[in-house]
Amino acid sequence: MTSAAARARRESIVALAQDTGLAGVDELSAHFVVSPSTIRRDLALLTADGRLARTYGGAMALTAPAETPLHRRTGEATKAKRAIAALAATRIAPSAAILLDAGSTVAALARALSGAVEGVSVTTPSLSAVLELTGADGVHLTCLGGHYRPLSHAFVGPLAEAALERMTFDAVFLGTDGVSPEFGICEADAEQIRLKELMARRSHRVYVLAHAAKIGAAPFHAWAPWQPGWTLVTDTAADPAQLDALRARDVEVLLAEPAVD
């Protein structure tokens, strides 16, 4: 007979998987203070009931959460995003050639760059970044074309990829919907992830900008794996255990301190 505690735990596992997209055995074991074998039995039962789908090392929700439009994300964690943007800007040298991804945190970096770095060349698929830098002194601006995604206010697809194949950059600053030590960085669809991976390959340094709520989150199922030498720029509210797991994968971690009112 299944106990009430076990039933409640399994309902919580389903809820966590729906919130984050993925649920790992080790994370669930620590969260519920039960053995990994107990979690594996829970996942097996939930999979048999058709409520989760098994993955290597865990399970995932059968239905991914809806992607939030960029204009709604822009108003979230604004202090953390400004602090992350300010810290990331210190890694940009005068006259550098940089690549800015889509996303609200990267758009905050574009805003921070205006008039702050001399002679920088910026290439981006993001209309938000273009609007932030239009008319900015000392910025040479190039916009990648392609298929327009209204949810992210950015261009993706073969045309953007073809243009990137003919360029190289000193650094790229990537946005993301979630950060996992195990899986990498995630986005809502494969086109976005394909573009991020190509951006990273064409750049000497790779920076991932993500505020604390995204660290350990896995809302979608399209992933770009971590590569040695990448840098995560996040804020001081991020989970220390998640950050330690990232460092163990040779990811540099930079912590920004949001302003206090």
Side-chain angles (χ1 to χ4, degrees):
M1 181 178 295
T2 302
S3 70
R7 288 194 297 271
R9 184 179 62 247
R10 289 167 193 161
E11 290 300 320
S12 295
I13 290 172
V14 172
L16 284 169
Q18 290 173 340
D19 285 344
T20 64
L22 289 168
V25 170
D26 291 341
E27 291 82 2
L28 292 171
S29 174
H31 181 80
F32 292 105
V33 197
V34 295
S35 69
S37 60
T38 296
I39 293 297
R40 291 189 186 96
R41 286 194 294 272
D42 288 340
L43 296 180
L45 288 168
L46 291 168
T47 301
D49 289 343
R51 303 187 66 190
L52 293 178
R54 287 303 300 268
T55 65
Y56 179 77
M60 68 181 184
L62 291 174
T63 302
E67 183 180 3
T68 305
L70 182 66
H71 72 270
R72 285 181 52 191
R73 285 180 272 138
T74 300
E76 299 171 351
T78 54
K79 291 180 181 179
K81 291 175 183 178
R82 283 197 297 267
I84 290 167
L87 180 54
T90 66
R91 293 300 182 102
I92 301 173
S95 302
I98 66 168
L99 185 55
L100 297 185
D101 193 11
S104 56
T105 309
V106 180
L109 173 58
R111 192 177 312 122
L113 282 180
S114 183
V117 182
E118 286 293 326
V120 65
S121 295
V122 177
T123 300
T124 182
S126 166
L127 283 186
S128 297
V130 168
L131 291 173
E132 292 290 351
L133 291 168
T134 297
D137 292 336
V139 175
H140 177 74
L141 185 59
T142 301
C143 183
L144 296 176
H147 169 68
Y148 180 63
R149 291 191 79 249
L151 283 171
S152 59
H153 291 194
F155 295 98
V156 296
L159 292 178
E161 294 167 13
L164 281 175
E165 291 282 10
R166 288 158 176 79
M167 305 181 198
T168 58
F169 305 90
D170 296 308
V172 61
F173 297 85
L174 299 176
T176 181
D177 286 324
V179 172
S180 164
E182 180 180 4
F183 297 106
I185 62 175
C186 80
E187 284 294 342
D189 66 35
E191 272 192 320
Q192 288 179 291
I193 281 297
R194 161 66 186 171
L195 191 62
K196 288 180 192 297
E197 290 183 318
L198 183 54
M199 286 176 167
R201 288 202 298 272
R202 305 303 291 177
S203 302
H204 179 65
R205 293 297 308 272
V206 178
Y207 297 90
V208 177
L209 311 187
H211 64 83
K214 293 184 177 181
I215 311 304
F220 303 112
H221 305 304
W223 292 89
W226 295 109
Q227 301 299 323
W230 283 20
T231 298
L232 170 69
V233 188
T234 187
D235 61 272
T236 51
D239 181 353
Q242 294 283 330
L243 299 181
D244 286 343
L246 287 163
R247 293 185 183 102
R249 289 183 171 270
D250 197 25
V251 177
E252 180 187 19
V253 176
L254 302 179
L255 294 177
E257 182 70 59
V260 178
D261 289 333

